[in-house]
């Protein structure tokens, strides 16, 4: 249900960060697809190189992690919500990095296509990024379970201990007032207690 919105968020975030590194690459969300465009106008090509990415191929670990967190016993609903937000944040960050990796792959493939070389340094690097990307895409369940285990081991499902309130210390009526006024307690703060 939320895949279109997630696609927009990932495309916008990845475009912002990756555009700082390579201004020739742009990313546009189109439904559930992120269209990565590499402008080759500086090198004489008129049409940009396109490499679409279906976001559902790299984000199916999100529902798995959500289900794992929801069925895990927690001390409170607040602890479970905190664990869910942290876990989803980690997986979304990994997804953003995967989109940026796809943009790098598109850039390398565009360079290799422009050079029209069958085996070159660019195509070898493109193959390396291709295998890294697909390794991450195929290991989504493993990544989700690893994040869930991390949440368990870090104690995110437990409520943090509350600070114990210090017991009130009885102050003698004739003792100096703890507020530092120099008067006796019964004539300073003790007098205010009696009035209330």
């Amino acid at each position: 249900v939320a895949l279109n919105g997630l696609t927009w968020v990932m495309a916008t975030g990845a475009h912002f960060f990756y555009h700082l590194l390579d201004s020739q690459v742009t990313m546009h969300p189109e439904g559930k697809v992120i269209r990565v465009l590499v402008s080759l106008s500086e090198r004489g090509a008129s049409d940009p190189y396109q490499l679409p990415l279906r976001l559902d191929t790299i984000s199916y670990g999100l529902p798995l992690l959500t289900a794992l967190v929801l069925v895990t016993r927690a001390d409170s609903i607040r602890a479970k919500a905190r664990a869910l937000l942290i876990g989803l944040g980690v997986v979304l960050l990994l997804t953003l990095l995967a989109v940026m990796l796809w943009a790098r792959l598109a850039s390398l493939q565009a360079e290799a296509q422009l050079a029209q070389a069958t085996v070159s340094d660019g195509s070898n690097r493109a193959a390396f990024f291709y295998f890294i990307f697909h390794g991450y895409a195929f290991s989504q369940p493993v990544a989700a379970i690893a994040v869930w285990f991390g949440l368990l081991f870090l104690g995110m499902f437990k409520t943090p201990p509350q600070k114990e309130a210090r017991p009130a210390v009885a102050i003698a009526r004739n003792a100096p007032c703890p507020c530092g006024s120099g008067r006796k307690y019964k004539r300073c703060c003790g007098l205010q207690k009696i009035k209330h």
Side-chain angles (χ1 to χ4, degrees):
V1 173
L3 198 55
N4 288 344
L6 182 64
T7 303
W8 183 85
V9 168
M10 289 294 122
T12 305
H15 174 75
F16 175 76
F17 289 114
Y18 196 81
H19 200 70
L20 297 173
L21 302 172
D22 189 357
S23 61
Q24 295 179 343
V25 177
T26 58
M27 297 172 219
H28 304 286
E30 294 178 4
K32 298 173 183 162
V33 174
I34 297 175
R35 195 154 306 276
V36 179
L37 303 171
V38 181
S39 173
L40 301 173
S41 59
E42 293 178 2
R43 297 185 181 165
S46 59
D47 293 332
Y49 180 78
Q50 294 187 31
L51 191 62
L53 169 65
R54 287 185 47 197
L55 195 68
D56 57 351
T57 60
I58 59 169
S59 63
Y60 65 93
L62 286 168
L64 177 62
L65 178 69
T66 304
L68 286 171
V69 170
L70 291 178
V71 299
T72 303
R73 182 179 298 181
D75 289 350
S76 67
I77 293 176
R78 180 177 283 177
K80 189 174 279 200
R82 183 186 67 218
L84 181 64
L85 288 175
I86 291 172
L88 290 179
V90 169
V91 173
L92 286 175
L93 179 65
L94 291 173
T95 305
L96 182 69
L97 292 174
V99 172
M100 291 173 64
L101 184 67
W102 186 260
R104 180 65 181 148
L105 175 66
S107 179
L108 290 173
Q109 284 183 350
E111 288 175 9
Q113 182 182 8
L114 191 62
Q116 297 177 353
T118 55
V119 179
S120 69
D121 184 42
S123 64
N124 286 338
R125 288 188 299 162
F128 172 75
F129 283 109
Y130 179 83
F131 287 122
I132 295 245
F133 176 82
H134 282 84
Y136 172 74
F138 289 133
S139 65
Q140 281 286 301
V142 176
I145 291 172
V147 170
W148 177 68
F149 271 126
L151 293 172
L152 282 174
F153 287 126
L154 291 174
M156 292 295 159
F157 293 98
K158 295 182 179 180
T159 305
Q162 299 293 327
K163 293 181 180 178
E164 295 181 15
R166 293 188 311 178
V169 178
I171 301 173
R173 287 175 39 95
N174 290 326
C177 191
C179 72
S181 65
R183 299 183 347 189
K184 291 184 179 180
Y185 178 71
K186 66 182 178 184
R187 299 275 180 213
C188 189
C189 294
L191 188 62
Q192 293 171 2
K193 258 187 170 178
I194 294 172
K195 288 181 180 179
H196 293 298

